[in-house]
Amino acid sequence: MTEKKRKIHVIGINSYKFEDLPLKLQNLFSETVSIAVPNSYFEKIKSWNDTNFKQKKSFFESKSNKELIKWLRSLKTDVILFSRGDPLWFGIGRILLENFSKNELSFYPTNTCMQLAFSELKIPWHDAINVSIHGRDSKKLVEALKTKPANLAIITDSKNKSLEIIKRNLLELGLIDFYDFWLCEEIGFKNENIRKLN
């Protein structure tokens, strides 16, 4: 792994409003030319420059980790990479650490979706078990369910029928009536949707 002097600034967000960024990160955005943004909210972040600065910036629409790593390796100057929540919590941070030296990376986390969800539901979460089935199989979910934790938080994936997978696992383990089940979508964002499921 060849270390470069430039920095990869990985910024976690919980809002698509530029003014919700801390001032330090607003300034970093203003000063940085190369910006990577996941394709699902690319246009929203790109509009920050059009609205606030109208500077010449190079925006990279991140569609896959492989493409993103290749693009980041090609850069010689500092870059910002946007992520949701905390990049080191079931996020892109792990993949970046596998491909770049720690000295090249700076992380700026914000609240995780789980922190926000438990806060909205007014449930203490110090003993919660967190599992992700976003782009992963449900093996860890099954292991967690077998321990019957009081609080279990699951990061789902809209592309892999997560709710059906969870329901099937609960049925197979005889736990379908063991939990209250809350679905929290776009938590912390303008179109947040929280509902209890039967």
Side-chain angles (χ1 to χ4, degrees):
M1 201 180 307
T2 309
E3 186 175 324
K4 295 189 178 182
K5 289 187 178 177
R6 61 100 169 91
K7 284 276 188 192
I8 300 170
H9 300 281
V10 190
I11 300 176
I13 58 170
N14 274 331
S15 163
Y16 297 132
K17 294 179 187 170
F18 179 72
E19 58 271 19
D20 287 347
L21 277 182
L23 186 58
K24 171 185 172 183
L25 298 181
Q26 289 182 23
N27 292 334
L28 184 63
F29 181 85
S30 168
E31 296 160 6
T32 306
V33 173
S34 300
I35 316 277
V37 186
N39 63 333
S40 57
Y41 47 100
F42 179 80
E43 291 303 326
K44 291 179 174 85
I45 303 301
K46 191 171 182 284
S47 73
W48 292 358
N49 186 53
D50 302 336
T51 305
N52 299 291
F53 304 106
K54 296 182 177 33
Q55 297 169 333
K56 189 169 167 105
K57 291 188 184 293
S58 171
F59 285 90
F60 179 80
E61 189 172 354
S62 172
K63 293 180 182 168
S64 79
N65 293 336
K66 205 173 196 178
E67 286 177 13
L68 175 64
I69 299 302
K70 185 178 175 185
W71 181 75
L72 289 170
R73 285 192 174 132
S74 74
L75 298 174
K76 293 179 173 48
T77 58
D78 285 8
V79 60
I80 288 174
L81 168 59
F82 282 101
S83 169
R84 299 271 288 259
D86 183 344
L88 290 166
W89 189 77
F90 296 115
I92 189 71
R94 177 184 54 81
I95 291 159
L96 293 172
L97 286 165
E98 290 170 0
N99 288 277
F100 300 96
S101 74
K102 288 182 180 180
N103 291 337
E104 289 178 84
L105 298 163
S106 294
F107 293 97
Y108 309 88
T110 190
N111 293 331
T112 68
C113 55
M114 292 307 172
Q115 286 173 288
L116 296 171
F118 278 100
S119 175
E120 287 292 325
L121 296 170
K122 296 171 182 60
I123 299 171
W125 70 295
H126 58 277
D127 62 347
I129 301 295
N130 302 301
V131 177
S132 175
I133 57 172
H134 188 279
R136 300 166 170 89
D137 63 31
S138 63
K139 184 180 173 190
K140 292 220 183 273
L141 172 61
V142 172
E143 289 171 9
L145 284 169
K146 285 179 179 177
T147 68
K148 296 182 183 176
N151 291 307
L152 176 64
I154 307 164
I155 299 175
T156 59
D157 186 342
S158 60
K159 294 176 186 164
N160 74 355
K161 300 183 179 180
S162 296
L163 296 180
E164 290 173 27
I165 291 168
I166 294 166
K167 184 178 178 181
R168 187 182 70 237
N169 288 323
L170 288 168
L171 282 166
E172 287 173 3
L173 295 168
L175 296 173
I176 200 72
D177 297 318
F178 190 76
Y179 291 103
D180 287 335
F181 200 82
W182 293 88
L183 181 63
C184 303
E185 299 171 300
E186 293 296 315
I187 192 86
F189 290 84
K190 188 176 166 184
N191 51 338
E192 174 179 283
N193 184 18
I194 299 174
R195 61 191 193 274
K196 190 173 183 180
L197 301 181
N198 294 325

